[in-house]
Structure formats: structure tokens, C-alpha cells
Amino acid sequence: GPFIISDIIGGGSGARPNADGVQGAFCPTGNARNIPAEVLENDCPIRITRYELCTDSGGAGKFRGANALVKEYLILCDRAQLFIRSDRQKFEPWGLAGGMPGAKSANILIHADGTTEHLPSKIARDVVRGDRIIHRQAGGGGYGESSDRDRALVESDRVQGYISEERHAWWQRQIAG
């Protein structure tokens, strides 16, 4: 039967003057919270195939912006209507006091036949069984100069998967430089 999903996906906040951004917890709408994948899958003909932090999407700085969240939906019904209202595809979330910007957001539709389509930030369209919608929030901007980041925090970011080996090496060069 008919179903409606109003999934307000929080992302991560920008870095603060004294701390990293908050990972996967920021939601500007006070009365909206995370809908667990199990609830969505139980109530609607979809499957959540990915829900994770996006490595390297937070802006570098003395304090790192939080990484973006990525959520992927697999359509299990014959036909559905998709409405997306998102921001930050054109302009990166800015960093402050020398901090680097966070990554832009993205909406991707992988059709059941395997072809891929990048969707705009605002769209209404039909989707069909087997289509996958990937929504990536924007990452938070960094605060302060990257060269001022504590080495132990950079190492912790690598171990936790917040940054890749490549970003880890880049950051080590910034600190040494």
C-alpha cells in the first residue's frame, strides 16, 4: 500500500573554536531525529543498504569538521515517487579561521539497469523496483590552520576511519611543514 518516508538526515556540524565537529548527530530541526533503518524497512518497501560516515568529507583544520553521513535506499516496490530537498551541492560548507571547507553534498540515483544519474538538490521524480538512491550530506567545515592540529588527533582520526591513509599522510606533512 501507500507509504511516506520523511527522512530528515542529520549530518555533522562544522568544527568549533575548541573542538571537532559532532559526527552524525547534528540536526537543525529540533523535533526530528534519526529513523532507525529497521523501522524504515519494517514500515516501508525499501531496504537501507548503507548508512555510514563518509571518510574525508569533514574539512581539515586545527579542529576537523564532522564527516558527512551517507544513506542508501533500495526500492523494493514496483513504483514510488522520490522527493529530495537538500542543500550544499554547489557551495562547500566553509571553514573558519584558516580551516578547510567540508565536502559538498550529493544525490545519486543508480537505476535498476546499473546506469547512474546525479540528481540535483531539489527534485521530484518516479523511481522503480531495484533503483538505489544514495544521499550524502555535506561535511562540516574545519576551524583553524591544519598545521596546528594535534598529531594524536590526526592518528585517532585515521584509526577511527574518519580520514583515509592519503589524508593522514597529507595531514602529517602539514604538521611537519
Side-chain angles (χ1 to χ4, degrees), residues 21-106:
V22 179
Q23 302 275 71
F26 177 73
C27 186
T29 308
N31 65 349
R33 296 290 181 249
N34 173 55
I35 301 173
E38 297 82 3
V39 171
L40 288 173
E41 292 174 345
N42 189 55
D43 292 347
C44 304
I46 63 158
R47 181 173 303 126
I48 303 300
T49 55
R50 182 168 52 155
Y51 192 20
E52 63 192 13
L53 292 172
C54 181
T55 300
D56 291 341
S57 57
K62 177 177 182 179
F63 297 105
R64 183 184 43 75
N67 281 335
L69 277 174
V70 179
K71 198 166 192 178
E72 182 174 336
Y73 307 79
L74 173 63
I75 304 301
L76 300 176
C77 57
D78 290 335
R79 182 179 157 275
Q81 291 181 311
L82 170 67
F83 297 90
I84 296 176
R85 302 292 178 261
S86 65
D87 289 311
R88 291 286 178 197
Q89 280 194 11
K90 291 183 181 178
F91 303 102
E92 301 164 318
W94 60 87
L96 293 175
M100 304 291 287
K104 295 177 187 174
S105 69

Side-chain angles (χ1 to χ4, degrees), residues 114-125:
T115 59
T116 300
E117 183 180 351
H118 289 268
L119 303 175
S121 62
K122 278 57 169 190
I123 191 169
R125 64 164 309 148

Side-chain angles (χ1 to χ4, degrees), residues 108-154:
I108 301 165
L109 173 60
I110 302 174
H111 296 277
D113 67 8
T115 59
T116 300
E117 183 180 351
H118 289 268
L119 303 175
S121 62
K122 278 57 169 190
I123 191 169
R125 64 164 309 148
D126 288 343
V127 291
V128 298
R129 181 183 302 275
D131 284 352
R132 290 183 291 146
I133 298 112
I134 300 171
H135 175 70
R136 184 187 75 220
Q137 290 288 85
Y143 187 95
E145 297 294 334
S146 300
S147 57
D148 293 337
R149 187 152 177 85
D150 185 301
R151 283 184 185 275
L153 292 175
V154 174

